[in-house]
Amino acid sequence: MKLLVTGAWKCTDEQLNNLAKLGHEIVFMQNESDKLPCDYKEVEGAICNGLFLHHDIEKFSNLKYIQLTSVGFDRVPMDYVKAKGITINNARGVYSVPMAEFAISGVLQLYKKCQFFYEKQKNNIWEKHRGVLELYDKSVCIIGCGNVGTECAKRFNAFGSNVFGVDLFPREDSAYEKIYPLSDIDNCLSKADIVVLTLPLTEETRHMMNDERFNLMKDKSVLVNIARGAVVDEKALLKSLDNKLLGAVLDVFEQEPLEENSPLWDKENVIITPHNSFVGDGNSKRLEKVIFANLGK
């Protein structure tokens, strides 16, 4: 197979050579927005991320295989892929560990009043805070119980939290006390001290967290969004941060980069990171394993 590999996979020469040893002809391009280094019709497979945002997929007339370096399929015209019978794989499981660690880290920063102590340390001030909270025995609702959600559940369990989930396809899973159907989301939100969003963005989930849903959440609860920004209505979130929520841990936003004048920047009870939760030093090995396993099928 003539395989177009883009810089979305930060691969080594050795990894490319190993692909070639499997019988593939490798063509490499660093930037997915650049001109292709070969004719479109020559490409039979692609390892990429946003390639089809810059190049019309219909030009790849002999495309049979796509390996994404991302988990989401939202950068690929999936209707076309399905209609043409193109095999497509995502990076399932590759980024789950660092994202779960990020979720725990963010909640702990809010619960342990890290910002308060950081400011005191900067100013050489010895001052206690009596409002520090524990994760132990807190109720945690994971909305979206795939790989990322389940890795989150495992880690909250380790702190002695009571973890339950909400998913389109409920199942028995030892990481959760119970996984509820999506139709029970409102009831689940009302019981949770911490809500973690790890579900995909679809037309059904866009602005799923709106005024009504935030009003259902417990007073002084925490929202963690490591899913997609548009799952949350940011205007509704801003209101809730003033009078409802203890805080929010936000790695994704409706518009990225987050605008400099966004009022979210100034919220002392918000932790903001630039879509960075997926980064971890183990990703490269996990992605390599996924790529070679899928190509070997």
Side-chain angles (χ1 to χ4, degrees), residues 46-158:
I47 299 175
C48 61
N49 183 7
L51 179 67
F52 305 113
L53 297 177
H54 307 286
H55 301 271
D56 184 354
I57 195 171
E58 295 187 22
K59 293 182 178 180
F60 297 85
S61 55
N62 290 307
L63 187 64
K64 303 177 182 66
Y65 181 88
I66 301 170
Q67 171 66 62
L68 298 175
T69 61
S70 61
V71 176
F73 293 97
D74 47 309
R75 294 185 169 192
V76 182
M78 288 303 297
D79 289 342
Y80 179 87
V81 168
K82 291 175 183 177
K84 293 296 183 180
I86 299 170
T87 298
I88 186 166
N89 296 303
N90 67 349
R92 179 180 173 84
V94 170
Y95 310 108
S96 303
V97 168
M99 292 178 74
E101 291 181 358
F102 172 86
I104 289 282
S105 169
V107 176
L108 283 173
Q109 286 181 67
L110 291 174
Y111 267 29
K112 301 305 179 183
K113 310 302 179 186
C114 290
Q115 182 65 27
F116 171 86
F117 290 116
Y118 175 69
E119 292 298 330
K120 298 303 176 183
Q121 180 179 341
K122 281 199 307 182
N123 294 290
N124 302 353
I125 298 174
W126 181 275
E127 182 178 342
K128 296 184 185 297
H129 194 303
R130 300 297 182 180
V132 174
L133 303 174
E134 302 174 4
L135 281 178
Y136 181 78
D137 207 31
K138 295 297 190 296
S139 294
V140 180
C141 178
I142 310 288
I143 302 180
C145 302
N147 279 35
V148 175
T150 300
E151 291 298 327
C152 289
K154 292 176 184 176
R155 285 156 180 78
F156 279 107
N157 277 322

Side-chain angles (χ1 to χ4, degrees), residues 59-279:
K59 293 182 178 180
F60 297 85
S61 55
N62 290 307
L63 187 64
K64 303 177 182 66
Y65 181 88
I66 301 170
Q67 171 66 62
L68 298 175
T69 61
S70 61
V71 176
F73 293 97
D74 47 309
R75 294 185 169 192
V76 182
M78 288 303 297
D79 289 342
Y80 179 87
V81 168
K82 291 175 183 177
K84 293 296 183 180
I86 299 170
T87 298
I88 186 166
N89 296 303
N90 67 349
R92 179 180 173 84
V94 170
Y95 310 108
S96 303
V97 168
M99 292 178 74
E101 291 181 358
F102 172 86
I104 289 282
S105 169
V107 176
L108 283 173
Q109 286 181 67
L110 291 174
Y111 267 29
K112 301 305 179 183
K113 310 302 179 186
C114 290
Q115 182 65 27
F116 171 86
F117 290 116
Y118 175 69
E119 292 298 330
K120 298 303 176 183
Q121 180 179 341
K122 281 199 307 182
N123 294 290
N124 302 353
I125 298 174
W126 181 275
E127 182 178 342
K128 296 184 185 297
H129 194 303
R130 300 297 182 180
V132 174
L133 303 174
E134 302 174 4
L135 281 178
Y136 181 78
D137 207 31
K138 295 297 190 296
S139 294
V140 180
C141 178
I142 310 288
I143 302 180
C145 302
N147 279 35
V148 175
T150 300
E151 291 298 327
C152 289
K154 292 176 184 176
R155 285 156 180 78
F156 279 107
N157 277 322
F159 282 87
S161 303
N162 307 308
V163 184
F164 53 94
V166 175
D167 198 83
L168 191 60
F169 303 104
R171 65 182 189 276
E172 294 291 325
D173 192 311
S174 60
Y176 304 87
E177 293 181 359
K178 183 175 181 179
I179 298 179
Y180 295 88
L182 201 55
S183 57
D184 285 351
I185 186 174
D186 290 351
N187 182 50
C188 290
L189 285 172
S190 70
K191 298 187 298 182
D193 299 296
I194 299 161
V195 174
V196 183
L197 304 176
T198 67
L199 71 171
L201 176 63
T202 66
E203 285 308 310
E204 290 72 28
T205 63
R206 184 177 297 276
H207 281 191
M208 181 185 76
M209 295 302 298
N210 51 30
D211 277 317
E212 181 180 347
R213 294 255 163 75
F214 282 119
N215 287 335
L216 291 171
M217 291 177 66
K218 292 174 69 172
D219 288 344
K220 303 304 179 183
S221 56
V222 171
L223 178 76
V224 178
N225 190 7
I226 50 175
R228 287 290 187 265
V231 171
V232 175
D233 180 340
E234 285 181 8
K235 291 182 180 178
L237 172 61
L238 280 163
K239 286 188 285 185
S240 295
L241 286 166
D242 287 335
N243 55 35
K244 183 77 172 180
L245 301 182
L246 175 71
V249 181
L250 306 174
D251 186 54
V252 289
F253 303 88
E254 290 193 73
Q255 181 176 323
E256 296 182 0
L258 182 64
E259 294 179 335
E260 291 184 14
N261 62 352
S262 169
L264 285 170
W265 290 110
D266 300 320
K267 295 290 184 184
E268 293 185 0
N269 58 342
V270 174
I271 295 171
I272 290 175
T273 50
H275 207 137
N276 205 79
S277 65
F278 70 95
V279 176

